[in-house]
Amino acid sequence: MDLKIKMLALVGIGLALAPQQSEAQNPIINEVFTADPAPLVHDDTLYLYTSHDTASVASNNYEMKDWLVFSTIDMKNWINHGSKLSPKDFSWAIGDAYAAEVEERDGKFYFYVSTFHKDDDRSDGGAAIGVAVADSPLGPFKDARGEALIYNEMTTDNPHGWDDIDPSVFVDDDGQAYMYWGNGSLKMVKLKDNMVELDGPIRYFNPKNFIEGPWVYKRNDLYYLIYASQGEERERIEYATSNSPEGPWEYQGILADSAPNSFTIHPGIIEYKGKDYFFYHNGVLPTGGSYRRSIAVDYMHYNEDGTIQKVELTEEGVEAVE
Ligand code: FUB
């Protein structure tokens, strides 16, 4: 073998032995266990508010002590801003930090959380919803009311104590704000312009297969209700649309299959820099599972009639944007 051929052969062997570079971007957060993604775009930055799973590998239940914030400007590099709020910041709360969502209005950032109520004069306990407020998407956030916005005794359609979780707040073009939430049934109430007081009665809906995790938004005059639903063995994502934020909701079908290695899946949907994204969580990190979840993101595609193509949950995730 002459020297040149020998060199080429050695390079070939070297390439074959070199470790293959992984293309996987999902999960996007892998230094801690995160769940229940809630994306928000402000000033060209995408902020991602998340739950924080801290259960041990052996645990069969959630351990969720606080809410975390991450941000990106390119969908590839994520900054971890750490813990920005916890149930301890609400004097009336005790227990886990379930799903949350942040909504901006008039330069203020409202952090709606689901957690649990102390057994006190106002409530016998159970899941409850609170709201904290800040002047910046990164806080500092402070309890905006000093008491829960929703507690268990305020909703009467379901007997279980954890039906008041997973708030999703949406402000319509006319300025009317709505909050949707619920486990077992979907609940909805109008909010006052101050975003921290109820403005009318609570209404109840039963979208097909609804379990929890509603995410409501408007696109081209159509209102979308995306939710975690009863799948075959684990939750999956289904959706409905309406011509009004108050329903009735027309069932549209399955949006995403169950997440790998996690009983729950939880939607967070946003358009950013011209692309539509579907955030969710799975349990695929090493030692991960239903109580040690991780947030991932994939593309969402709309059809011309406003329906949404089924989302493909991938390991590759999404590409970087400018
Ligand atoms: O993360 C705790 C709970 O699991 C959330 O509130 C639900 O949506 C489900 O993801």
Side-chain angles (χ1 to χ4, degrees):
M1 212 186 278
D2 76 17
L3 189 61
K4 200 169 159 201
I5 296 179
K6 219 178 199 167
M7 293 287 289
L8 285 173
L10 284 174
V11 169
I13 290 168
L15 282 177
L17 293 179
Q20 296 296 305
Q21 197 75 50
S22 165
E23 291 298 312
Q25 297 287 336
N26 276 332
I28 51 173
I29 311 293
N30 50 32
E31 70 264 31
V32 283
F33 291 102
T34 55
D36 305 327
L40 170 83
V41 174
H42 174 70
D43 277 353
D44 262 0
T45 297
L46 191 152
Y47 293 89
L48 184 63
Y49 300 86
T50 80
S51 302
H52 181 193
D53 279 343
T54 58
S56 69
V57 179
S59 177
N60 281 327
N61 215 336
Y62 295 119
E63 269 177 47
M64 307 172 75
K65 298 285 176 267
D66 51 8
W67 294 277
L68 310 180
V69 189
F70 300 81
S71 71
T72 185
I73 52 169
D74 62 6
M75 292 302 289
K76 188 174 166 66
N77 298 294
W78 291 88
I79 298 171
N80 182 348
H81 298 282
S83 172
K84 293 293 175 191
L85 193 64
S86 113
K88 291 194 175 123
D89 296 318
F90 300 94
S91 59
W92 49 267
I94 190 163
D96 287 311
Y98 273 24
E101 186 185 311
V102 174
E103 184 72 16
E104 179 184 2
R105 181 163 194 168
D106 299 333
K108 293 213 178 290
F109 296 82
Y110 297 91
F111 205 139
Y112 298 87
V113 303
S114 36
T115 180
F116 292 80
H117 207 287
K118 287 179 180 164
D119 184 348
D120 62 12
D121 291 349
R122 206 165 177 232
S123 171
D124 292 339
I129 292 174
V131 54
V133 65
D135 294 326
S136 138
L138 294 176
F141 289 94
K142 288 213 163 58
D143 185 354
R145 291 170 52 87
E147 61 182 20
L149 186 57
I150 299 286
Y151 53 91
N152 188 36
E153 289 79 2
M154 291 171 70
T155 58
T156 49
D157 66 325
N158 271 312
H160 61 290
W162 64 98
D163 64 321
D164 294 305
I165 60 171
D166 295 358
S168 173
V169 171
F170 159 73
V171 182
D172 207 350
D173 300 334
D174 63 2
Q176 179 62 59
Y178 299 85
M179 184 169 78
Y180 307 80
W181 74 100
N183 173 289
S185 67
L186 173 71
K187 302 137 203 334
M188 185 211 84
V189 72
K190 287 183 182 170
L191 297 179
K192 291 189 179 165
D193 291 354
N194 64 18
M195 300 293 274
V196 303
E197 286 179 273
L198 307 190
D199 192 14
I202 294 170
R203 292 180 50 198
Y204 303 91
F205 301 86
N206 282 294
K208 184 175 172 185
N209 300 331
F210 180 90
I211 295 194
E212 57 188 0
W215 183 273
V216 177
Y217 63 100
K218 184 182 192 180
R219 179 182 179 272
N220 295 344
D221 290 334
L222 195 59
Y223 297 83
Y224 290 81
L225 163 66
I226 318 282
Y227 54 93
S229 63
Q230 172 91 53
E232 275 163 26
E233 285 173 4
R234 292 172 283 141
E235 289 183 351
R236 64 185 169 201
I237 300 290
E238 300 184 38
Y239 81 107
T241 56
S242 177
N243 293 323
S244 158
E246 302 186 41
W249 297 99
E250 184 185 348
Y251 179 73
Q252 296 290 357
I254 297 172
L255 183 61
D257 288 329
S258 305
N261 206 31
S262 168
F263 176 78
T264 61
I265 182 169
H266 186 108
I269 286 148
I270 204 144
E271 184 194 340
Y272 182 56
K273 297 190 173 175
K275 295 208 161 81
D276 294 298
Y277 294 101
F278 176 80
F279 288 83
Y280 58 102
H281 60 233
N282 61 32
V284 305
L285 274 190
T287 76
S290 288
Y291 305 107
R292 292 162 68 81
R293 299 164 291 179
S294 299
I295 288 174
V297 61
D298 278 299
Y299 291 117
M300 234 177 68
H301 300 284
Y302 293 90
N303 297 312
E304 284 210 345
D305 65 358
T307 55
I308 316 172
Q309 293 171 19
K310 193 166 168 189
V311 175
E312 201 188 333
L313 306 184
T314 72
E315 287 179 18
E316 295 76 28
V318 300
E319 289 175 2
V321 291
E322 298 268 307

